[in-house]
Amino acid sequence: TLDANYFRLDESSRFWKSYDAESSGNFLTAMKEVQNSIKGPKDAAYWGYNLLRFLYFSGNALLGLYYSELTAAAPKGYPQTLLKSPGVTPGILGDVVDVHLWNLKWIHKGLFKMPYDMNLNHRQYDPGHVFPLVIESFKEMASRSEKLTAGAIETVWMAKSTKLYPKYYLHDFHFQTDGWMSTRSAEIYNYVTEITLAGKQDAMQRSALVPFAKFMTKFRFKTPKVLEIAAGTGRFATFLKDSFPEVNLIVSDLSPFYLEAARKNINYWKKAFHANQEGTFKIAQDVGTTRFLHCAAEDIPLPDSSQDCVIAMNLFHELPAETRRGVIKEVARVLKPGGTFILTDSIQLGDRIAMDETIGLLTNYNEPEYPTYIREDFGKLMTEEGLFKPEEKVVLSVTKTLSFTRL
């Protein structure tokens, strides 16, 4: 990676660049650091919660694999074969521990709050809410296993009947049923993703709050306008609003199904975790607005220079190269001069040296644009376009965050 030529490297970037998941030393060192990181009861609760989260979603992953084999959606021996694949099992627990060590370090620095879903009143602890997700997720894992084994690439159900969406978008990324275009897909997306990533997806996405917290220091007595493009189910937006409820946030996505899920998720957070004792919403000076916008990231129906910050979460690796450039120009158009652009996505070649030989395997999971993404030099691209100044690079496991200032 050439990021060092353009970005200030956060200490996390240097840590993960040389990280070797197969080294047992990483785990032993991490466990000592866990002990040192516990400053009080809240920290102990944080580790207890995330250990249970790891065990729960890893257990779901194993059960889902065996369900796929049992239903003949995957060939006999499929779980054992997959678990022996390069980069799948070695050092998973050590990796997860280090992800949460970095999250807790940033929390101790005051960059963002403890995860609100640690609260035992959260619906994730309600069997009536979770059980249907488990059943549908196992079915989805079986379906994806079958498609992966057969190499069956599909377009979504509306691909032949609409011109409302770009061609690249009507694609079943990750072999997920209906792609981005169904209520069921939106309802189970976060759950399946956490199964896939051993319960660390939320923590990795929160790394985007590191540059965002620094951006917020410029608005100590003001309410900034923030736009999240391709926000999906709004999961990250709930963590952003929980730590920074004063922002005026626009949550946008091209899928009406995912945008509706985002509306429900943010309204749930607002009602359950940001209400006063009487149960009414806190409004006015301490809570900014949240609006929802149905649009493509390359065609945002907002005025020029209207936003203080734009965030893109896991968008760019699914875009064709020419569309990436279109999105960058559109983000530049809606940002105010001096505004901040935060790009969070998959790591690229060179971000974790030990993974360079296997990182391209994600292409096999129906990610056609991934080979060009992992080679995209965003620092050079932004500089040559003359629209942005590269600022900082943060890395957390298999996620990286790049921040830019609008020129």
Side-chain angles (χ1 to χ4, degrees):
T1 179
L2 301 176
D3 290 339
N5 295 335
Y6 300 95
F7 297 91
R8 297 190 308 274
L9 301 182
D10 179 83
E11 58 181 334
S12 63
S13 300
R14 293 185 284 272
F15 175 85
W16 289 99
K17 186 178 182 69
S18 59
Y19 192 89
D20 181 4
E22 297 189 26
S23 170
S24 60
N26 278 333
F27 175 70
L28 295 175
T29 301
M31 293 309 295
K32 292 179 182 178
E33 291 182 357
V34 167
Q35 185 176 3
N36 294 334
S37 72
I38 299 176
K39 311 296 183 184
K42 288 185 179 180
D43 294 344
Y46 177 86
W47 283 113
Y49 167 69
N50 283 298
L51 176 60
L52 290 174
R53 186 179 176 87
F54 166 74
L55 293 173
Y56 175 76
F57 282 112
S58 297
N60 271 238
L62 286 172
L63 290 173
L65 289 174
Y66 282 106
Y67 175 84
S68 299
E69 181 184 48
L70 182 65
T71 58
K76 190 173 182 179
Y78 176 74
Q80 295 86 345
T81 300
L82 185 62
L83 291 172
K84 292 178 182 178
S85 299
V88 173
T89 55
I92 285 181
L93 180 55
D95 187 294
V96 170
V97 167
D98 279 311
V99 164
H100 293 299
L101 274 169
W102 280 97
N103 259 240
L104 193 57
K105 182 183 297 187
W106 291 325
I107 290 169
H108 285 162
K109 288 183 177 180
L111 298 182
F112 51 88
K113 291 171 58 177
M114 287 278 186
Y116 69 90
D117 59 357
M118 287 173 56
N119 189 313
L120 293 178
N121 291 322
H122 195 283
R123 61 188 176 188
Q124 70 180 352
Y125 302 103
D126 177 5
H129 174 75
V130 173
F131 187 69
L133 290 175
V134 173
I135 299 302
E136 289 302 316
S137 294
F138 284 2
K139 291 179 182 178
E140 179 65 14
M141 291 177 69
S143 172
R144 294 187 190 190
S145 297
E146 186 175 22
K147 292 176 184 176
L148 175 63
T149 303
I153 298 175
E154 301 176 359
T155 54
V156 301
W157 58 272
M158 62 165 58
K160 296 180 180 179
S161 61
T162 183
K163 296 182 180 179
L164 294 175
Y165 298 92
K167 184 177 179 180
Y168 75 83
Y169 193 74
L170 299 176
H171 183 79
D172 62 339
F173 293 99
H174 332 120
F175 295 110
Q176 63 191 38
T177 305
D178 299 324
W180 306 116
M181 302 305 287
S182 75
T183 298
R184 177 183 179 272
S185 173
E187 287 177 344
I188 66 174
Y189 174 78
N190 291 116
Y191 197 89
V192 174
T193 302
E194 291 292 2
I195 289 175
T196 305
L197 292 167
K200 64 181 180 179
Q201 170 76 338
D202 283 348
M204 292 193 300
Q205 290 192 351
R206 286 194 294 269
S207 62
L209 294 177
V210 174
F212 188 80
K214 297 172 184 178
F215 155 79
M216 286 296 293
T217 61
K218 299 186 292 184
F219 291 88
R220 203 172 297 275
F221 302 105
K222 299 179 181 179
T223 301
K225 294 181 178 179
V226 179
L227 167 68
E228 185 181 358
I229 54 176
T233 66
R235 179 69 176 172
F236 170 73
T238 64
F239 290 108
L240 186 151
K241 288 289 285 186
D242 196 61
S243 287
F244 305 97
E246 67 272 26
V247 303
N248 287 325
L249 179 64
I250 297 177
V251 176
S252 72
D253 200 86
L254 185 51
S255 167
F257 305 98
Y258 276 70
L259 194 62
E260 180 60 21
R263 186 190 305 275
K264 291 178 179 178
N265 285 332
I266 292 173
N267 285 343
Y268 169 75
W269 163 80
K270 190 174 182 181
K271 186 174 182 179
F273 298 99
H274 206 76
N276 62 27
Q277 291 181 353
E278 288 73 37
T280 55
F281 297 146
K282 294 180 179 179
I283 56 175
Q285 75 275 9
D286 63 336
V287 179
T289 60
T290 302
R291 296 158 53 201
F292 300 88
L293 185 63
H294 181 215
C295 70
E298 61 268 35
D299 186 14
I300 304 170
L302 291 173
D304 295 357
S305 304
S306 60
Q307 303 300 305
D308 296 299
C309 178
V310 175
I311 302 170
M313 181 66 63
N314 293 329
L315 166 66
F316 277 77
H317 74 275
E318 293 186 346
L319 297 176
E322 63 274 16
T323 306
R324 286 180 211 136
R325 285 149 179 78
V327 171
I328 289 168
K329 291 179 180 178
E330 186 69 346
V331 167
R333 182 187 67 79
V334 301
L335 265 177
K336 297 176 182 177
T340 296
F341 177 36
I342 297 173
L343 189 166
T344 299
D345 214 306
S346 162
I347 57 171
Q348 298 174 282
L349 288 169
D351 290 328
R352 280 184 68 169
I353 300 299
M355 295 185 68
D356 275 358
E357 292 186 5
T358 58
I359 188 173
L361 294 177
L362 187 60
T363 307
N364 298 335
Y365 291 83
N366 209 6
E367 291 282 7
E369 309 303 335
Y370 199 68
T372 62
Y373 165 79
I374 59 177
R375 293 170 174 83
E376 187 77 82
D377 187 344
F378 285 101
K380 180 180 179 181
L381 174 61
M382 298 291 199
T383 303
E384 288 182 346
E385 291 287 347
L387 300 173
F388 291 95
K389 174 189 174 185
E391 295 291 356
E392 187 177 31
K393 173 182 175 179
V394 175
V395 176
L396 191 60
S397 186
V398 293
T399 293
K400 72 185 294 183
T401 294
L402 304 174
S403 59
F404 306 86
T405 297
R406 175 72 169 99
L407 297 175

